[in-house]
Amino acid sequence: MGIFSRFTKRDSTHLIQPASFLNPHSTLGELDLYLIAEGRHEQLWKALGAHVRRDDSNELLGTAFSVWAPNAQAVSLIGDHNFWDKNTHHMVRIGSSGIWEIFIPDIGVGTRYKFAICGIDGRWVDHADSMSRATEIPPLTASVVEESTYVWSDSDWITKRTKFESWRSPVSVYEVHLGSWKLGLSYRELAIELVDYVRAQGFTHVEFLPVTEHPYGPSWGYQVTSFFAPTSRFGSPDDFKFLVDALHAAGIGVILDWVPAHFPKDEWALAKFDGTALYEHADPRLGEHPDWGTLIFNFGRNEVRNFLVASALYWLTEYHIDGLRVDAVASMLYLDYSRKEGEWVPNINGGRENLEAVQLLQEATSTAYKTHPGIMMIAEESTAWSGVTRDTSSGGLGFGFKWNMGWMHDVLQYLQHDPIHRVYHHNEVTFSILYAWSENFMLPLSHDEVVHGKGQLVNKFPGDRWQKTATLRALYGFMWAHPGKKLLFMGSEFAQNDEWNESAGLQWYLTEYGEHQGVQKCVAEINALYKKLPSLWEKDTSPEGFTWLVGNDGAANVVAFARWDDQGTPLVAITNFSPMPHENYSLPFPTTGTWTEVLNTDDLAYGGSGITNEPVAVNDGAQLVAQVRIPPLATIWFKRS
C-alpha cells in the first residue's frame, strides 16, 4: 500500500472523492472548481484556504480548509487542534482538481495550522497555507485562521473614487516602510501618527512597501511568502483595515507595493509546494532569479496566473486599497533579464520577451480596472518596453502609470556634478521632456535612491550644508512642476542625514533644527500649492500642457517652462541650479498680465537667502519678456494674477 500503509483499507478508498462530492461545510462548488482549473476565479480567497463556518444563529461550527496540491500523494492538516500530528486529520482530494479539503469541528479564529504534504518522492514537508489570510509573527511561520469582523466607514470615499481620473488629478505619494517610519508602532498607532503627519505634509497618497507577509525583515517585504496576508508584525488583518480606513477618512489614498515577479525558496512556503515545481518553473533558466536567489512564478500555468491575479484583486477588494505598484516589472518582461548567453530560454517566436508574463500583467491590470474603477496600477519598469501604460486592447500592458526611472537617474546625476560643470551636462535636466508623454509617468525619488551606499538625497549634492539643502528644495520645486505624478520616500521630506536603515527609525529629532524644518515646511507648502493649481496636473499626460520658456541656458544652470490647465491658465516655473543668483534675468512669459510668486524655495521661512520678487508686470504683447530675480539654488513658481 506504499504511502497509504498507515491507513485502513476503508480510509484509503475515501482519500479521493468525485468532483461532485462536496461536504456540507465546503467552500468549493462545481463552479469554483471549473474557474480554478481555467484560471478565472477572481475571488479565489473565498474558495481556498481556511474559512470559519457558523450556523444560522452565528454559533461556531468549525473551520473548513482547502488547498491546491495536485501532485501530492497525501495531505494532512496539522495544527494546534491535533498537536501538529500529521496522522490525525487526513484531507480528501476532490476528483482531478488537485484540491484537497477537510472540515474540523469546533475550531475557529486564532487556530494555528499548516498542511503536511507528501510529495511524489514520499517526503513529507509542512507548508504554510498558500492562501492564508493571517500568519504568526515572524520568524514563526504557521498560518492562522482568520475571520474579519471589521466594519468599514469609507463608503463615501469608495463612491467618490469610482469617478477619480488619476491621470488628470493631483497625485503626490509619500512612500513608507511601516516598520521604520517610527519604530514600534502598530497599525492602529500608525492610524493616528502617520495619518496626522501625511495630512499635515499635504500628500494625496501613501505608498507602503510590501505589507504582504515575509519572513526576512531586511528584504523590506519584497520576498513574499503569504500573498493574501498583511504582515502580523504590526497587528491583525482588521488592524490593517483600520489603518486604511483612517487614511481614507483623512482624504488620503493608499497604494501597496505588490510583488508578483518572484518568491523566496523557503521550504515551508511556496517552493515545491506539492513536491514538484508547482508555483515556479521547473527549469532553473526560467524558474530562478540569479540576482535575488529567489524563484520565478510559472506565469503560463492557469492556476498560478489565477493565484496572482486573485492576490491583486484581494487587496483591492478586501482592504479597499486604491492602487498597486507592481515591483520589478522589467525582470518579468525579459527572459534574459540579468542572464548571460546560454542561461535563458527564448520564447516560442525565438525572442527574449516573456509572453506569459505579459499575459499575466495584462490580465491583472485589465481585471483590476474593470472590477475597481478609479484605482491605479503602477509599474516599476526600468527599460524602454513600449506600451507599459497603453491599453491592453491596443497591445499594451494596461498600467495607469510607469515610474520614470530615466528622469530620476538623469536629474540626480546632473545634480551630483559641481555647478561649474553642470553646463556640460545640461541635457540631463532637460532630456526627459523629449519622452515625457510616451507613457503616463510618475516621478520617483524612492527608497532605492537612499540605500546600499547611495546616501541620502541631501548628501548627494556638492557644496556646503546650506547649498545641499537649498539644492534639495530646488529639486522638489522643479519635480512638482515637471510633468508626471510625484513620489517621495519618507525622511527625504525633512532632509534626513543618514542613509535609510530598515532596522532604525527615521531621524525625527532633526526636525527640531532649522534647516530640516525648512525643507519639511517647503515640501508641505509645495504639496498644498500643487493641489490648488490645475496647471500642474490637468494636462500631465499631454504635450499641450507644457511649453519651454528657457531650455538651453546651461551656462546659467537655468531652466524655465510653463504648465497649462484645461482653461488655458498658465503657471511659470523657473529653476536655478547654480549657487549664484541671477539679477535682472530676462525671462519670457507665456502671456501678458501681472505675475506673482506663489512659490520660492529660497524663502527665508524655508532656510533660504530671501531673494524674492515683487509682482512682475508683462505688458508688451510683442516680446512678453520681463526682468526677474532668480535666487541661488532655487525654484520659483509664478502665477498670473
Side-chain angles (χ1 to χ4, degrees):
M1 295 180 68
I3 191 65
F4 302 123
S5 59
R6 67 190 182 285
F7 300 125
T8 66
K9 184 176 180 180
R10 181 176 179 275
D11 286 331
S12 63
T13 60
H14 284 77
L15 284 173
I16 299 178
Q17 295 289 349
S20 59
F21 170 81
L22 295 173
N23 75 59
H25 303 296
S26 176
T27 56
L28 295 152
E30 293 285 354
L31 180 59
D32 293 305
L33 298 177
Y34 171 77
L35 292 174
I36 291 171
E38 292 293 307
R40 299 291 179 185
H41 203 306
E42 294 181 358
Q43 294 188 325
L44 188 65
W45 63 93
K46 292 186 177 181
L48 298 179
H51 295 273
V52 175
R53 289 288 176 258
R54 298 180 181 277
D55 63 19
D56 293 339
S57 60
N58 204 38
E59 290 297 318
L60 176 69
L61 296 172
T63 300
F65 299 85
S66 55
V67 62
W68 178 60
N71 301 301
Q73 294 196 55
V75 181
S76 292
L77 182 74
I78 58 175
D80 292 330
H81 59 288
N82 63 11
F83 302 100
W84 304 88
D85 178 11
K86 69 176 182 293
N87 296 310
T88 304
H89 291 117
H90 313 300
M91 300 182 72
V92 173
R93 179 168 177 153
I94 306 174
S96 60
S97 67
I99 295 172
W100 302 72
E101 71 168 8
I102 194 171
F103 174 76
I104 308 295
D106 303 323
I107 69 169
V109 173
T111 300
R112 299 177 305 151
Y113 71 98
K114 283 187 177 182
F115 298 118
I117 300 177
C118 179
I120 291 175
D121 60 358
R123 181 169 174 260
W124 287 89
V125 177
D126 298 344
H127 287 271
D129 184 357
S130 57
M131 297 293 301
S132 63
R133 301 189 305 282
T135 69
E136 287 187 289
I137 299 174
L140 302 176
T141 59
S143 302
V144 178
V145 176
E146 180 265 353
E147 182 184 37
S148 179
T149 58
Y150 190 76
V151 179
W152 289 91
S153 60
D154 64 349
S155 58
D156 289 346
W157 171 273
I158 298 298
T159 299
K160 183 179 178 181
R161 192 186 68 188
T162 62
K163 300 178 181 179
F164 180 58
E165 298 177 325
S166 56
W167 63 92
R168 60 189 314 275
S169 299
V171 176
S172 172
V173 182
Y174 186 57
E175 188 187 31
V176 175
H177 176 262
L178 285 173
S180 60
W181 185 74
K182 284 186 179 178
L183 294 180
L185 296 186
S186 68
Y187 289 130
R188 289 184 177 264
E189 290 166 334
L190 286 160
I192 298 172
E193 294 198 36
L194 177 64
V195 171
D196 287 347
Y197 183 75
V198 174
R199 178 166 45 194
Q201 286 299 117
F203 290 93
T204 65
H205 292 73
V206 295
E207 178 179 320
F208 295 139
L209 272 62
V211 300
T212 36
E213 191 62 274
H214 51 283
Y216 184 54
S219 77
W220 313 331
Y222 289 101
Q223 295 197 7
V224 179
T225 48
S226 296
F227 283 78
F228 293 81
T231 180
S232 56
R233 290 169 172 84
F234 316 118
S236 70
D238 278 0
D239 291 338
F240 181 60
K241 291 179 180 180
F242 183 86
L243 171 58
V244 175
D245 212 359
L247 284 160
H248 286 171
I252 301 163
V254 182
I255 301 168
L256 294 188
D257 276 14
W258 182 59
V259 191
H262 63 127
F263 60 94
K265 295 181 179 180
D266 299 79
E267 185 179 58
W268 56 267
L270 294 180
K272 292 192 174 180
F273 191 77
D274 64 356
T276 67
L278 185 64
Y279 287 92
E280 67 273 29
H281 272 281
D283 187 335
R285 295 174 298 173
L286 296 169
E288 294 194 19
H289 199 294
D291 287 347
W292 302 325
T294 52
L295 299 173
I296 299 172
F297 283 102
N298 183 350
F299 301 118
R301 185 163 191 164
N302 283 351
E303 297 92 341
V304 174
R305 190 173 66 252
N306 191 169
F307 173 83
L308 290 172
V309 172
S311 171
L313 297 178
Y314 175 74
W315 295 101
L316 299 174
T317 303
E318 299 294 331
Y319 287 89
H320 295 199
I321 298 303
D322 305 293
L324 298 176
R325 177 266 198 185
V326 183
D327 181 62
V329 171
S331 75
M332 300 172 67
L333 293 175
Y334 297 98
L335 294 165
D336 64 344
Y337 184 88
S338 194
R339 297 178 189 272
K340 299 176 183 177
E341 187 175 350
E343 295 179 348
W344 60 283
V345 181
N347 63 33
I348 57 174
N349 301 318
R352 59 196 284 256
E353 301 81 9
N354 190 330
L355 303 179
E356 295 170 342
V358 169
Q359 182 183 358
L360 175 276
L361 292 170
Q362 290 176 326
E363 185 174 338
T365 57
S366 60
T367 307
Y369 279 121
K370 176 191 73 176
T371 56
H372 296 82
I375 57 95
M376 291 184 285
M377 296 293 287
I378 305 162
E380 190 239 344
E381 203 286 310
S382 56
T383 75
W385 184 281
S386 178
V388 172
T389 59
R390 192 188 310 139
D391 194 77
T392 55
S393 63
S394 303
L397 297 183
F399 285 94
F401 297 98
K402 170 181 173 175
W403 273 21
N404 193 336
M405 311 293 278
W407 172 87
M408 176 274 299
H409 177 271
D410 287 349
V411 169
L412 291 183
Q413 183 169 278
Y414 170 81
L415 291 175
Q416 288 176 69
H417 298 300
D418 189 283
I420 200 171
H421 299 304
R422 287 175 183 164
V423 60
Y424 306 110
H425 303 276
H426 195 66
N427 66 304
E428 292 174 354
V429 80
T430 61
F431 180 70
S432 58
I433 297 301
L434 293 179
Y435 62 88
W437 301 281
S438 60
E439 303 276 6
N440 298 339
F441 282 117
M442 179 173 285
L443 310 182
L445 291 175
S446 74
H447 65 279
D448 283 327
E449 308 318 310
V450 295
V451 292
H452 299 321
K454 296 179 183 178
Q456 271 292 343
L457 291 182
V458 71
N459 293 323
K460 295 179 186 291
F461 314 133
D464 59 25
R465 187 65 191 179
W466 186 92
Q467 291 173 331
K468 289 176 182 291
T469 54
T471 302
L472 188 63
R473 296 191 306 268
L475 169 60
Y476 293 156
F478 172 75
M479 173 181 175
W480 260 252
H482 189 288
K485 308 309 176 186
K486 328 299 173 187
L487 179 139
L488 188 64
F489 185 58
M490 63 182 198
S492 301
E493 81 281 6
F494 62 81
Q496 169 150 321
N497 286 332
D498 290 352
E499 184 175 82
W500 174 55
N501 180 349
E502 82 283 342
S503 63
L506 296 182
Q507 295 175 293
W508 290 107
Y509 68 90
L510 292 176
T511 60
E512 299 175 8
Y513 299 94
E515 65 185 46
H516 299 278
Q517 287 178 351
V519 175
Q520 188 180 44
K521 182 176 182 180
C522 183
V523 170
E525 296 192 6
I526 287 175
N527 270 327
L529 282 167
Y530 171 67
K531 288 185 284 189
K532 294 177 182 177
L533 297 171
S535 303
L536 294 177
W537 36 265
E538 272 190 344
K539 290 183 176 292
D540 244 351
T541 59
S542 169
E544 296 175 356
F546 179 92
T547 305
W548 273 119
L549 302 176
V550 178
N552 59 359
D553 193 358
N557 298 166
V558 169
V559 292
F561 49 82
R563 298 295 309 278
W564 304 83
D565 65 16
D566 288 342
Q567 285 69 47
T569 304
L571 179 128
V572 169
I574 312 108
T575 300
N576 176 16
F577 285 120
S578 164
M580 299 298 295
H582 301 301
E583 296 284 350
N584 299 316
Y585 189 93
S586 294
L587 182 73
F589 279 80
T591 66
T592 60
T594 301
W595 292 81
T596 304
E597 279 187 356
V598 292
L599 174 73
N600 187 328
T601 65
D602 191 52
D603 195 299
L604 289 171
Y606 307 145
S609 63
I611 297 177
T612 59
N613 287 273
E614 296 298 322
V616 176
V618 181
N619 299 316
D620 187 341
Q623 295 188 10
L624 296 177
V625 174
Q627 308 300 309
V628 299
R629 307 175 73 201
I630 308 181
L633 299 171
T635 294
I636 308 170
W637 294 353
F638 280 104
K639 184 177 181 294
R640 191 173 60 186
S641 302

